């Protein structure tokens, strides 16, 4: 079976993410959705509302990965500079888009609100960009080249992701098997490394949990074919059983001593 | 008053952050703590458990910012490769640290647990690094150059941040004033841009909220001196009052018509 790998990066934009005022919710959501689509999210960057920082990050990421997804900075206020920065990164003009002006103009007319200069800012995008529809609050995101520019408000971001995913070239989905392990990483590290080595087509991760002063682990076997995952998973379960038995024997010995 | 600017970046490391399995909690926490310390968090990157990706990101960030903070990848399993990657980035050997071996050896002895090869991995660090203490689970983080390497488990990460903050050179703290605004960004965008222009020593952000089908905004004025913040804040409040009055007049006219 040939396996196609499609890669992606995310660029989250906004001073509020770096000051701690807003705790990002979009990265985790995009990660979940790309995983389901079989697209590998390889890198995320967060930068503030500074044109140079956005341009530099965007040009680095769009050259390196198949797709780039941005969040934030496409609203109507002075600190919303994503459309300008993306235009600059692509070397094209940023202008009022006729279709976006019509969409927004109609919406504000219907709501009997003034179509202010600030609101008109939301119709600006790089010349040649295509819309990403916004069923929540109308103002569209946009696609230019391999870059998908979306809103930062989570409800709008999520709606835009839903619209974008079906338009993407997807890879062979990554399948995963999660195995709950009652032992900490110190107990499983050595045998788990051996299992990883024996199953090179899988990627085995171990994620420590620390609850009630005790470490346990979630072991996740990832791969692009079910049989290789099942084989590695069987070895992981056998490892957990073996550690359990060893601990029981040790405790019996301690009790006898 | 001279204002000192100290900058920082964060590098969060772990496949689980990019697959969506783990929703990062450390970025927001570090952002909060650095803000209080007067250190400007300028950029965040998230990369997976891949040596080349870690080395590349680390070298880019440590050259650009005063401090770099990493999270994740310092546990005992095969996918914990941060110590090796940081060593490679600095061009030094990664070796078992005597002091860390003693700390960990004592702890496991006390707990009557075997000091396995996997557990010994947690004592590895770049030669010449200094410890960051870990009051939660003993295995230390470390500092080399301007890079602070910390655990990914939030309880441990937070304890390490608490230990690190007092050792840092801090800047003039950023003060902020948050003003709740009942209007969406489309209403305030144009006047707020004018206020920002009139108060260049402040940074005014506006953060849209979308609750109950209605947009409102939190306006945050940031600066490094209270008087400049207060002056801009007064203008923001006057703007909100003016919009409120304009809306009331408009509604009265509609009612009369």
């Amino acid at each position: 079976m040939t396996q196609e790998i499609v890669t992606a990066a995310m660029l989250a934009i906004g001073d509020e993410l770096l000051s701690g005022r807003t705790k990002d919710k979009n990265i985790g959501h995009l990660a979940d959705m790309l995983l389901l689509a079989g697209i590998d999210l390889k890198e995320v960057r967060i930068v503030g509302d500074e044109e140079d920082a956005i341009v530099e990050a965007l040009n680095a990421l769009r050259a390196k990965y198949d797709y780039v997804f941005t969040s934030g900075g496409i609203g109507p206020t002075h600190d919303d500079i994503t459309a300008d920065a993306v235009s600059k990164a692509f070397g094209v003009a940023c202008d009022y888009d006729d279709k976006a002006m019509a969409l927004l103009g109609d919406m504000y007319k219907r709501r009997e609100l003034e179509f202010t200069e600030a609101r008109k800012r939301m119709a600006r995008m790089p010349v040649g960009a295509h819309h990403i529809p916004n069923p929540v609050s109308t103002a569209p995101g946009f696609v230019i080249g391999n870059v998908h520019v979306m809103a930062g408000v989570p409800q709008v971001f999520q709606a835009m992701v839903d619209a974008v995913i079906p338009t993407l070239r997807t890879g062979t989905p990554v399948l995963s098997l999660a195995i709950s392990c009652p032992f900490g990483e110190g107990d499983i590290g050595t045998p788990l490394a051996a299992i990883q080595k024996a199953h090179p087509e899988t990627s085995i991760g171990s994620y420590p949990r620390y609850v009630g002063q005790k470490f346990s682990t979630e072991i996740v076997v990832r791969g692009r074919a079910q049989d290789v995952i099942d084989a590695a998973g069987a070895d992981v379960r056998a490892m957990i059983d073996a550690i359990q038995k060893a601990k029981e024997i040790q405790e019996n010995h301690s009790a006898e001593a």
Side-chain angles (χ1 to χ4, degrees), chain A:
Chain A
M1 191 175 88
T2 44
Q3 295 178 345
E4 202 190 357
I5 308 294
V6 180
T7 61
M10 174 166 176
L11 177 62
I13 299 164
D15 286 347
E16 69 277 22
L17 301 171
L18 297 173
S19 72
R21 175 160 291 273
T22 300
K23 305 292 183 275
D24 172 83
K25 291 194 178 79
N26 295 328
I27 297 170
H29 179 77
L30 184 70
D32 285 337
M33 299 304 288
L34 292 179
L35 185 82
L36 291 173
I39 296 171
D40 293 358
L41 180 62
K42 300 292 283 180
E43 183 173 349
V44 177
R45 297 192 191 184
I46 307 176
V47 297
D49 301 312
E50 293 176 24
E51 188 169 90
D52 290 348
I54 300 169
V55 170
E56 189 188 326
L58 197 62
N59 279 338
L61 296 174
R62 73 190 180 95
K64 199 166 176 183
Y65 303 105
D66 294 323
Y67 292 115
V68 179
F69 303 91
T70 79
S71 66
I74 62 168
T77 54
H78 63 277
D79 57 348
D80 290 307
I81 60 168
T82 299
D84 292 279
V86 173
S87 302
K88 192 170 175 185
F90 278 88
V92 301
C94 187
D95 205 354
Y96 295 92
D97 177 86
D98 288 343
K99 202 176 124 201
M101 284 293 279
L103 272 173
L104 288 166
D106 286 353
M107 186 265 287
Y108 287 117
K109 197 172 173 185
R110 215 165 45 239
R111 292 172 57 195
E112 297 182 5
L113 289 170
E114 192 189 345
F115 193 19
T116 58
E117 283 309 310
R119 289 182 171 128
K120 284 176 186 165
R121 275 179 67 81
M122 292 188 286
R124 295 173 74 246
M125 58 182 71
V127 172
H130 298 282
H131 286 205
I132 298 173
N134 172 357
V136 177
S137 55
T138 307
F142 56 84
V143 187
I144 178 167
N146 61 343
V147 176
H148 295 72
V149 175
M150 299 183 282
V153 175
Q155 295 95 323
V156 183
F157 180 82
Q158 290 169 20
M160 288 181 173
V161 170
D162 288 345
V164 161
I165 294 275
T167 70
L168 305 174
R169 186 168 63 84
T170 55
T172 308
V174 172
L175 308 170
S176 74
L177 171 68
I179 299 173
S180 190
C181 168
F183 310 114
E185 291 193 312
D187 283 316
I188 62 172
T190 305
L192 195 66
I195 294 171
Q196 171 68 85
K197 208 168 175 186
H199 298 274
E201 283 182 75
T202 66
S203 166
I204 305 179
S206 98
Y207 307 114
R209 279 184 298 226
Y210 186 72
V211 179
Q213 311 283 311
K214 191 179 177 305
F215 274 102
S216 60
T217 321
E218 179 149 85
I219 299 171
V220 180
V221 181
R222 292 192 192 82
R224 293 183 194 268
Q226 194 61 51
D227 56 342
V228 301
I229 291 177
D230 289 343
D235 282 1
V236 169
R237 290 201 179 92
M239 173 197 77
I240 294 173
D241 288 346
I243 296 173
Q244 184 67 53
K245 270 179 199 143
K247 285 200 182 273
E248 284 169 10
I249 290 168
Q250 203 178 7
E251 279 163 22
N252 288 344
H253 276 250
S254 302
E256 284 165 20

mmCIF file with all atom_site columns, all heavy atoms in Angstrom, chain A residues 183-192 206 208 215-217 243 247:
data_model
loop_
_atom_site.group_PDB
_atom_site.id
_atom_site.type_symbol
_atom_site.label_atom_id
_atom_site.label_alt_id
_atom_site.label_comp_id
_atom_site.label_asym_id
_atom_site.label_entity_id
_atom_site.label_seq_id
_atom_site.pdbx_PDB_ins_code
_atom_site.Cartn_x
_atom_site.Cartn_y
_atom_site.Cartn_z
_atom_site.occupancy
_atom_site.B_iso_or_equiv
_atom_site.pdbx_formal_charge
_atom_site.auth_seq_id
_atom_site.auth_comp_id
_atom_site.auth_asym_id
_atom_site.auth_atom_id
_atom_site.pdbx_PDB_model_num
ATOM 1   N N   . PHE A 1 183 ? 1.670  2.059  35.130 1.00 0.00 ? 183 PHE A N   1
ATOM 2   C CA  . PHE A 1 183 ? 3.033  2.287  35.606 1.00 0.00 ? 183 PHE A CA  1
ATOM 3   C C   . PHE A 1 183 ? 3.607  3.576  35.008 1.00 0.00 ? 183 PHE A C   1
ATOM 4   O O   . PHE A 1 183 ? 3.231  3.978  33.910 1.00 0.00 ? 183 PHE A O   1
ATOM 5   C CB  . PHE A 1 183 ? 3.924  1.095  35.250 1.00 0.00 ? 183 PHE A CB  1
ATOM 6   C CG  . PHE A 1 183 ? 3.317  -0.206 35.668 1.00 0.00 ? 183 PHE A CG  1
ATOM 7   C CD1 . PHE A 1 183 ? 2.918  -1.142 34.733 1.00 0.00 ? 183 PHE A CD1 1
ATOM 8   C CD2 . PHE A 1 183 ? 3.101  -0.478 37.020 1.00 0.00 ? 183 PHE A CD2 1
ATOM 9   C CE1 . PHE A 1 183 ? 2.332  -2.321 35.119 1.00 0.00 ? 183 PHE A CE1 1
ATOM 10  C CE2 . PHE A 1 183 ? 2.505  -1.661 37.421 1.00 0.00 ? 183 PHE A CE2 1
ATOM 11  C CZ  . PHE A 1 183 ? 2.118  -2.590 36.462 1.00 0.00 ? 183 PHE A CZ  1
ATOM 12  N N   . GLY A 1 184 ? 4.530  4.168  35.725 1.00 0.00 ? 184 GLY A N   1
ATOM 13  C CA  . GLY A 1 184 ? 5.178  5.388  35.261 1.00 0.00 ? 184 GLY A CA  1
ATOM 14  C C   . GLY A 1 184 ? 6.194  5.086  34.169 1.00 0.00 ? 184 GLY A C   1
ATOM 15  O O   . GLY A 1 184 ? 6.522  3.928  33.890 1.00 0.00 ? 184 GLY A O   1
ATOM 16  N N   . GLU A 1 185 ? 6.700  6.153  33.564 1.00 0.00 ? 185 GLU A N   1
ATOM 17  C CA  . GLU A 1 185 ? 7.626  5.990  32.451 1.00 0.00 ? 185 GLU A CA  1
ATOM 18  C C   . GLU A 1 185 ? 8.944  5.331  32.874 1.00 0.00 ? 185 GLU A C   1
ATOM 19  O O   . GLU A 1 185 ? 9.597  4.676  32.069 1.00 0.00 ? 185 GLU A O   1
ATOM 20  C CB  . GLU A 1 185 ? 7.911  7.346  31.801 1.00 0.00 ? 185 GLU A CB  1
ATOM 21  C CG  . GLU A 1 185 ? 6.702  7.905  31.061 1.00 0.00 ? 185 GLU A CG  1
ATOM 22  C CD  . GLU A 1 185 ? 7.073  9.072  30.158 1.00 0.00 ? 185 GLU A CD  1
ATOM 23  O OE1 . GLU A 1 185 ? 7.770  9.968  30.644 1.00 0.00 ? 185 GLU A OE1 1
ATOM 24  O OE2 . GLU A 1 185 ? 6.681  9.051  28.993 1.00 0.00 ? 185 GLU A OE2 1
ATOM 25  N N   . GLY A 1 186 ? 9.320  5.513  34.142 1.00 0.00 ? 186 GLY A N   1
ATOM 26  C CA  . GLY A 1 186 ? 10.554 4.899  34.623 1.00 0.00 ? 186 GLY A CA  1
ATOM 27  C C   . GLY A 1 186 ? 10.488 3.379  34.596 1.00 0.00 ? 186 GLY A C   1
ATOM 28  O O   . GLY A 1 186 ? 11.503 2.701  34.391 1.00 0.00 ? 186 GLY A O   1
ATOM 29  N N   . ASP A 1 187 ? 9.282  2.823  34.802 1.00 0.00 ? 187 ASP A N   1
ATOM 30  C CA  . ASP A 1 187 ? 9.119  1.365  34.755 1.00 0.00 ? 187 ASP A CA  1
ATOM 31  C C   . ASP A 1 187 ? 9.086  0.836  33.328 1.00 0.00 ? 187 ASP A C   1
ATOM 32  O O   . ASP A 1 187 ? 9.524  -0.276 33.072 1.00 0.00 ? 187 ASP A O   1
ATOM 33  C CB  . ASP A 1 187 ? 7.805  0.963  35.452 1.00 0.00 ? 187 ASP A CB  1
ATOM 34  C CG  . ASP A 1 187 ? 7.926  1.014  36.969 1.00 0.00 ? 187 ASP A CG  1
ATOM 35  O OD1 . ASP A 1 187 ? 8.946  0.541  37.494 1.00 0.00 ? 187 ASP A OD1 1
ATOM 36  O OD2 . ASP A 1 187 ? 6.987  1.514  37.615 1.00 0.00 ? 187 ASP A OD2 1
ATOM 37  N N   . ILE A 1 188 ? 8.528  1.614  32.422 1.00 0.00 ? 188 ILE A N   1
ATOM 38  C CA  . ILE A 1 188 ? 8.282  1.079  31.080 1.00 0.00 ? 188 ILE A CA  1
ATOM 39  C C   . ILE A 1 188 ? 9.299  1.546  30.046 1.00 0.00 ? 188 ILE A C   1
ATOM 40  O O   . ILE A 1 188 ? 9.340  1.008  28.940 1.00 0.00 ? 188 ILE A O   1
ATOM 41  C CB  . ILE A 1 188 ? 6.868  1.480  30.580 1.00 0.00 ? 188 ILE A CB  1
ATOM 42  C CG1 . ILE A 1 188 ? 6.747  3.011  30.471 1.00 0.00 ? 188 ILE A CG1 1
ATOM 43  C CG2 . ILE A 1 188 ? 5.788  0.906  31.496 1.00 0.00 ? 188 ILE A CG2 1
ATOM 44  C CD1 . ILE A 1 188 ? 5.475  3.472  29.809 1.00 0.00 ? 188 ILE A CD1 1
ATOM 45  N N   . GLY A 1 189 ? 10.119 2.541  30.402 1.00 0.00 ? 189 GLY A N   1
ATOM 46  C CA  . GLY A 1 189 ? 10.981 3.169  29.405 1.00 0.00 ? 189 GLY A CA  1
ATOM 47  C C   . GLY A 1 189 ? 11.834 2.204  28.613 1.00 0.00 ? 189 GLY A C   1
ATOM 48  O O   . GLY A 1 189 ? 11.838 2.223  27.375 1.00 0.00 ? 189 GLY A O   1
ATOM 49  N N   . THR A 1 190 ? 12.559 1.330  29.324 1.00 0.00 ? 190 THR A N   1
ATOM 50  C CA  . THR A 1 190 ? 13.488 0.424  28.631 1.00 0.00 ? 190 THR A CA  1
ATOM 51  C C   . THR A 1 190 ? 12.755 -0.587 27.747 1.00 0.00 ? 190 THR A C   1
ATOM 52  O O   . THR A 1 190 ? 13.054 -0.690 26.546 1.00 0.00 ? 190 THR A O   1
ATOM 53  C CB  . THR A 1 190 ? 14.419 -0.257 29.654 1.00 0.00 ? 190 THR A CB  1
ATOM 54  O OG1 . THR A 1 190 ? 15.062 0.759  30.431 1.00 0.00 ? 190 THR A OG1 1
ATOM 55  C CG2 . THR A 1 190 ? 15.488 -1.092 28.962 1.00 0.00 ? 190 THR A CG2 1
ATOM 56  N N   . PRO A 1 191 ? 11.769 -1.347 28.290 1.00 0.00 ? 191 PRO A N   1
ATOM 57  C CA  . PRO A 1 191 ? 11.071 -2.295 27.400 1.00 0.00 ? 191 PRO A CA  1
ATOM 58  C C   . PRO A 1 191 ? 10.292 -1.609 26.273 1.00 0.00 ? 191 PRO A C   1
ATOM 59  O O   . PRO A 1 191 ? 10.201 -2.146 25.165 1.00 0.00 ? 191 PRO A O   1
ATOM 60  C CB  . PRO A 1 191 ? 10.122 -3.052 28.344 1.00 0.00 ? 191 PRO A CB  1
ATOM 61  C CG  . PRO A 1 191 ? 10.039 -2.232 29.603 1.00 0.00 ? 191 PRO A CG  1
ATOM 62  C CD  . PRO A 1 191 ? 11.323 -1.482 29.700 1.00 0.00 ? 191 PRO A CD  1
ATOM 63  N N   . LEU A 1 192 ? 9.753  -0.414 26.539 1.00 0.00 ? 192 LEU A N   1
ATOM 64  C CA  . LEU A 1 192 ? 9.001  0.275  25.491 1.00 0.00 ? 192 LEU A CA  1
ATOM 65  C C   . LEU A 1 192 ? 9.912  0.702  24.335 1.00 0.00 ? 192 LEU A C   1
ATOM 66  O O   . LEU A 1 192 ? 9.520  0.640  23.164 1.00 0.00 ? 192 LEU A O   1
ATOM 67  C CB  . LEU A 1 192 ? 8.270  1.496  26.071 1.00 0.00 ? 192 LEU A CB  1
ATOM 68  C CG  . LEU A 1 192 ? 7.166  2.086  25.184 1.00 0.00 ? 192 LEU A CG  1
ATOM 69  C CD1 . LEU A 1 192 ? 6.014  1.097  25.018 1.00 0.00 ? 192 LEU A CD1 1
ATOM 70  C CD2 . LEU A 1 192 ? 6.635  3.401  25.757 1.00 0.00 ? 192 LEU A CD2 1
ATOM 71  N N   . SER A 1 206 ? 4.570  7.901  24.684 1.00 0.00 ? 206 SER A N   1
ATOM 72  C CA  . SER A 1 206 ? 4.102  7.623  26.034 1.00 0.00 ? 206 SER A CA  1
ATOM 73  C C   . SER A 1 206 ? 3.908  8.942  26.751 1.00 0.00 ? 206 SER A C   1
ATOM 74  O O   . SER A 1 206 ? 4.791  9.807  26.736 1.00 0.00 ? 206 SER A O   1
ATOM 75  C CB  . SER A 1 206 ? 5.084  6.702  26.746 1.00 0.00 ? 206 SER A CB  1
ATOM 76  O OG  . SER A 1 206 ? 5.956  7.412  27.555 1.00 0.00 ? 206 SER A OG  1
ATOM 77  N N   . PRO A 1 208 ? 3.002  10.822 30.179 1.00 0.00 ? 208 PRO A N   1
ATOM 78  C CA  . PRO A 1 208 ? 2.889  10.639 31.622 1.00 0.00 ? 208 PRO A CA  1
ATOM 79  C C   . PRO A 1 208 ? 1.705  11.409 32.189 1.00 0.00 ? 208 PRO A C   1
ATOM 80  O O   . PRO A 1 208 ? 1.379  12.499 31.734 1.00 0.00 ? 208 PRO A O   1
ATOM 81  C CB  . PRO A 1 208 ? 4.201  11.222 32.143 1.00 0.00 ? 208 PRO A CB  1
ATOM 82  C CG  . PRO A 1 208 ? 4.673  12.158 31.101 1.00 0.00 ? 208 PRO A CG  1
ATOM 83  C CD  . PRO A 1 208 ? 4.155  11.635 29.801 1.00 0.00 ? 208 PRO A CD  1
ATOM 84  N N   . PHE A 1 215 ? 2.672  8.630  39.269 1.00 0.00 ? 215 PHE A N   1
ATOM 85  C CA  . PHE A 1 215 ? 2.745  8.697  37.814 1.00 0.00 ? 215 PHE A CA  1
ATOM 86  C C   . PHE A 1 215 ? 2.106  7.447  37.191 1.00 0.00 ? 215 PHE A C   1
ATOM 87  O O   . PHE A 1 215 ? 2.302  6.321  37.667 1.00 0.00 ? 215 PHE A O   1
ATOM 88  C CB  . PHE A 1 215 ? 4.213  8.755  37.358 1.00 0.00 ? 215 PHE A CB  1
ATOM 89  C CG  . PHE A 1 215 ? 4.776  10.141 37.339 1.00 0.00 ? 215 PHE A CG  1
ATOM 90  C CD1 . PHE A 1 215 ? 5.611  10.578 38.361 1.00 0.00 ? 215 PHE A CD1 1
ATOM 91  C CD2 . PHE A 1 215 ? 4.465  11.023 36.307 1.00 0.00 ? 215 PHE A CD2 1
ATOM 92  C CE1 . PHE A 1 215 ? 6.141  11.862 38.344 1.00 0.00 ? 215 PHE A CE1 1
ATOM 93  C CE2 . PHE A 1 215 ? 4.988  12.310 36.284 1.00 0.00 ? 215 PHE A CE2 1
ATOM 94  C CZ  . PHE A 1 215 ? 5.828  12.730 37.309 1.00 0.00 ? 215 PHE A CZ  1
ATOM 95  N N   . SER A 1 216 ? 1.316  7.649  36.153 1.00 0.00 ? 216 SER A N   1
ATOM 96  C CA  . SER A 1 216 ? 0.908  6.546  35.290 1.00 0.00 ? 216 SER A CA  1
ATOM 97  C C   . SER A 1 216 ? 1.150  7.027  33.858 1.00 0.00 ? 216 SER A C   1
ATOM 98  O O   . SER A 1 216 ? 1.695  8.118  33.650 1.00 0.00 ? 216 SER A O   1
ATOM 99  C CB  . SER A 1 216 ? -0.555 6.180  35.518 1.00 0.00 ? 216 SER A CB  1
ATOM 100 O OG  . SER A 1 216 ? -1.369 7.307  35.234 1.00 0.00 ? 216 SER A OG  1
ATOM 101 N N   . THR A 1 217 ? 0.769  6.220  32.877 1.00 0.00 ? 217 THR A N   1
ATOM 102 C CA  . THR A 1 217 ? 1.144  6.561  31.510 1.00 0.00 ? 217 THR A CA  1
ATOM 103 C C   . THR A 1 217 ? 0.025  6.208  30.550 1.00 0.00 ? 217 THR A C   1
ATOM 104 O O   . THR A 1 217 ? -0.682 5.209  30.751 1.00 0.00 ? 217 THR A O   1
ATOM 105 C CB  . THR A 1 217 ? 2.388  5.740  31.084 1.00 0.00 ? 217 THR A CB  1
ATOM 106 O OG1 . THR A 1 217 ? 3.285  5.639  32.176 1.00 0.00 ? 217 THR A OG1 1
ATOM 107 C CG2 . THR A 1 217 ? 3.094  6.388  29.924 1.00 0.00 ? 217 THR A CG2 1
ATOM 108 N N   . ILE A 1 243 ? 5.314  -6.553 33.662 1.00 0.00 ? 243 ILE A N   1
ATOM 109 C CA  . ILE A 1 243 ? 5.716  -5.661 34.762 1.00 0.00 ? 243 ILE A CA  1
ATOM 110 C C   . ILE A 1 243 ? 4.818  -5.913 35.970 1.00 0.00 ? 243 ILE A C   1
ATOM 111 O O   . ILE A 1 243 ? 5.280  -5.970 37.118 1.00 0.00 ? 243 ILE A O   1
ATOM 112 C CB  . ILE A 1 243 ? 5.642  -4.176 34.322 1.00 0.00 ? 243 ILE A CB  1
ATOM 113 C CG1 . ILE A 1 243 ? 6.652  -3.907 33.201 1.00 0.00 ? 243 ILE A CG1 1
ATOM 114 C CG2 . ILE A 1 243 ? 5.908  -3.246 35.507 1.00 0.00 ? 243 ILE A CG2 1
ATOM 115 C CD1 . ILE A 1 243 ? 6.546  -2.518 32.596 1.00 0.00 ? 243 ILE A CD1 1
ATOM 116 N N   . LYS A 1 247 ? 6.060  -7.124 39.648 1.00 0.00 ? 247 LYS A N   1
ATOM 117 C CA  . LYS A 1 247 ? 5.778  -6.346 40.859 1.00 0.00 ? 247 LYS A CA  1
ATOM 118 C C   . LYS A 1 247 ? 5.102  -7.221 41.914 1.00 0.00 ? 247 LYS A C   1
ATOM 119 O O   . LYS A 1 247 ? 5.389  -7.105 43.109 1.00 0.00 ? 247 LYS A O   1
ATOM 120 C CB  . LYS A 1 247 ? 4.872  -5.147 40.532 1.00 0.00 ? 247 LYS A CB  1
ATOM 121 C CG  . LYS A 1 247 ? 5.633  -4.035 39.835 1.00 0.00 ? 247 LYS A CG  1
ATOM 122 C CD  . LYS A 1 247 ? 4.919  -2.698 39.950 1.00 0.00 ? 247 LYS A CD  1
ATOM 123 C CE  . LYS A 1 247 ? 5.681  -1.632 39.197 1.00 0.00 ? 247 LYS A CE  1
ATOM 124 N NZ  . LYS A 1 247 ? 6.725  -0.979 40.003 1.00 0.00 ? 247 LYS A NZ  1
#
